[in-house]
């Protein structure tokens, strides 16, 4: 089979590699589509190695058809699934624990379904499980037009929250408004901390952090939960600890990729049951910025690198 291999100079080649060898209860999927995540750019640069037991090639999600499954599996050859992966989605086939797969949302195409698992699992883990976001609460979502942002905004609205989000640029502002964001901060023109001071939040999903974090935390509501999932804006911030402890703020660090397959399986089951029907009913929508053949993975990465994407960039394999 073929997969995207990172060459020594960090260029990408779509070339022949050994096919997966499924272990124990694992199933093998024939990949129809995968999708690009910012973590792939870090992995390609050598800064985010895949966890043990996963292929060395990139790809945190895929949609496709089950090629093989053990006799006692929930899955059978021919089933259409989408799956959360520890890696290996940029390939013609991938082996995975069966609990990381779930049925395709009814009515969605493979390329749409491939864009969902990583962003929705991250949004579910952090908004539902870590921050326990409740209906009627206000949530701040950094980078609202990102692949993750579009999922987090839509999930938060589905859960009945008020959404404040940040974007860079007027065209991104219009895009997240159409997704239902209530307050939009164009960080090229406005100070995020100032807008949050006027609109205190209960929960934040933050992939930027950096120097502005301390200022933003100051205006959180009492018993707020601020979840850090990346540090695109920098790793260091100064926090006023008086404000922090008096308000009962909880600062939570979180990564999805390092969680157990058992927890990831629970998240995928929850998405299949509680979130996928909203796609079939048209209450949620996949947002594909671009769909490219997997042989053009370099061009796909370039779109994310330049911060051009409104939503997800998908790679088609079949
Ligand atoms: N911890 C976890 O488990 C987990 C899981 C999934 C994703 N993440 C993180 O969530 C973030 C979003 O992921 P994604 O795949 O959705 O990414 P993406 O589509 O590439 O979007 C990233 C966006 O972040 C915004 N941004 C703000 N400050 C930035 C900076 N200093 N440098 C670059 N971009 C900046 C940009 O939007 P504007 O131009 O609009 O500002 C950019 O388009 C990434 O940082 C990723 O690592 C973490």
């Amino acid at each position: 089979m073929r997969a995207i291999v990172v060459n020594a100079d960090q260029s990408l080649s779509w070339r022949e590699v050994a096919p997966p060898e499924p272990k124990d209860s694992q199933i093998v999927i024939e990949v129809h589509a995968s999708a690009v995540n910012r973590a792939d750019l870090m992995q390609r640069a050598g800064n985010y190695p895949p966890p043990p037991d996963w292929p060395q090639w990139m790809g945190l999600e895929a949609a496709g058809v089950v090629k093989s499954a053990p006799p006692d599996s929930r899955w059978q050859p021919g089933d259409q699934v989408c799956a959360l992966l520890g890696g290996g989605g940029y390939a013609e086939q991938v082996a995975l624990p069966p609990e990381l797969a779930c049925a395709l949302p009814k009515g969605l195409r493979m390329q749409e379904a491939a864009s969902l698992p990583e962003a929705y699992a991250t949004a579910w883990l952090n908004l539902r499980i870590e921050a326990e976001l409740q209906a009627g609460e206000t949530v701040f979502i950094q980078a609202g037009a990102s692949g993750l942002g579009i999922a987090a905004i839509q999930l938060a609205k589905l859960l009945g929250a008020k959404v404040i989000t940040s974007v860079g640029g007027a065209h991104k502002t219009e895009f997240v408004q159409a997704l239902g964001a209530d307050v939009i901060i164009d960080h090229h023109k406005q100070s995020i901390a100032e807008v949050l001071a006027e609109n205190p939040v209960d929960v934040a999903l933050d992939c930027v952090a950096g120097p502005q974090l301390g200022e933003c935390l100051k205006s959180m509501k009492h018993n707020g939960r601020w979840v850090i999932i990346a540090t695109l804006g920098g790793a260091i911030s100064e926090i006023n600890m008086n404000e922090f402890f008096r308000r009962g703020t909880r600062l939570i660090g979180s990564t999805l990729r390092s969680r157990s397959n058992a927890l990831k399986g629970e998240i995928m089951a929850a998405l299949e049951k509680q979130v996928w029907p909203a796609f079939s009913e048209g209450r949620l929508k996949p947002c594909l910025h671009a769909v490219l053949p997997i042989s053009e993975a370099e061009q796909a990465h370039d779109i994310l690198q330049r911060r051009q994407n409104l939503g997800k960039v998908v790679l088609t394999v079949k």
Side-chain angles (χ1 to χ4, degrees):
M1 72 154 191
R2 287 170 298 175
I4 290 284
V5 175
V6 181
N7 301 311
D9 64 357
Q10 289 185 8
S11 62
L12 305 179
S13 301
W14 177 235
R15 68 163 123 98
E16 224 31 65
V17 297
E21 290 175 13
K23 294 186 203 119
D24 308 323
S25 62
Q26 286 194 332
I27 61 173
V28 175
I29 295 176
E30 254 180 14
V31 177
H32 284 224
S34 184
V36 182
N37 289 280
R38 204 160 192 89
D40 301 343
L41 276 52
M42 291 158 57
Q43 181 170 332
R44 177 179 172 187
N47 300 327
Y48 196 39
D53 299 334
W54 288 94
Q56 59 180 283
W57 32 93
M58 297 165 286
L60 296 173
E61 56 198 338
V65 174
V66 175
K67 182 174 189 286
S68 67
D72 57 349
S73 177
R74 170 190 171 187
W75 304 111
Q76 294 180 348
D79 286 346
Q80 296 196 332
V81 294
C82 56
L84 182 67
L85 307 170
Y90 288 19
E92 287 178 314
Q93 294 172 28
V94 63
L96 60 141
E99 63 270 26
L100 300 193
C102 64
L104 235 51
K106 282 197 185 75
L108 291 201
R109 292 174 294 148
M110 286 286 184
Q111 44 186 252
E112 293 172 322
S115 76
L116 306 180
E118 171 71 10
Y120 275 87
T122 302
W124 187 270
L125 167 66
N126 294 303
L127 296 180
R128 284 293 280 168
I129 299 176
E130 294 290 0
E132 299 180 87
L133 179 67
Q134 304 296 318
E137 288 193 317
T138 301
V139 57
F140 171 53
I141 294 163
Q142 284 271 28
S146 67
L148 173 62
I150 52 142
I153 291 172
Q154 293 192 85
L155 182 63
K157 292 304 296 179
L158 192 73
L159 296 171
K162 175 182 171 183
V163 172
I164 303 175
T165 193
S166 65
V167 293
H171 65 302
K172 291 190 177 181
T173 300
E174 284 171 26
F175 174 70
V176 295
Q177 197 163 25
L179 289 179
D182 300 286
V183 178
I184 302 158
I185 308 168
D186 180 347
H187 64 76
H188 291 163
K189 294 185 186 155
Q190 292 165 287
S191 148
I192 291 175
E194 280 176 23
V195 177
L196 295 189
E198 288 161 16
N199 302 272
V201 303
D202 300 280
V203 168
L205 183 58
D206 184 3
C207 60
V208 177
Q212 68 183 346
L213 172 64
E215 277 305 304
C216 293
L217 282 174
K218 277 184 188 170
S219 58
M220 271 207 112
K221 288 190 189 174
H222 280 260
N223 301 318
R225 293 86 71 199
W226 192 287
V227 187
I228 308 273
I229 57 163
T231 54
L232 289 172
I236 307 292
S237 192
E238 197 172 288
I239 296 173
N240 179 330
M241 285 298 171
N242 279 331
E243 299 280 350
F244 185 76
F245 87 85
R246 286 188 184 131
R247 286 173 195 267
T249 306
R250 272 179 278 158
L251 190 56
I252 300 165
S254 170
T255 64
L256 174 65
R257 203 183 198 186
S258 62
R259 304 301 174 108
S260 68
N261 285 336
L263 179 61
K264 290 177 183 171
E266 280 173 31
I267 294 170
M268 293 306 284
L271 292 177
E272 182 177 308
K273 196 168 167 202
Q274 299 179 53
V275 178
W276 283 189
F279 281 101
S280 311
E281 294 155 12
R283 289 187 290 138
L284 295 180
K285 56 175 186 174
C287 300
L288 306 193
H289 177 86
V291 179
L292 300 173
I294 195 150
S295 54
E296 293 178 20
E298 290 213 27
Q299 289 89 326
H301 279 202
D302 205 40
I303 294 171
L304 265 72
Q305 196 72 60
R306 292 169 187 271
R307 298 165 68 160
Q308 290 172 334
N309 54 306
L310 302 172
K312 298 285 292 193
V313 174
V314 167
L315 299 168
T316 52
V317 179
K318 271 199 159 211

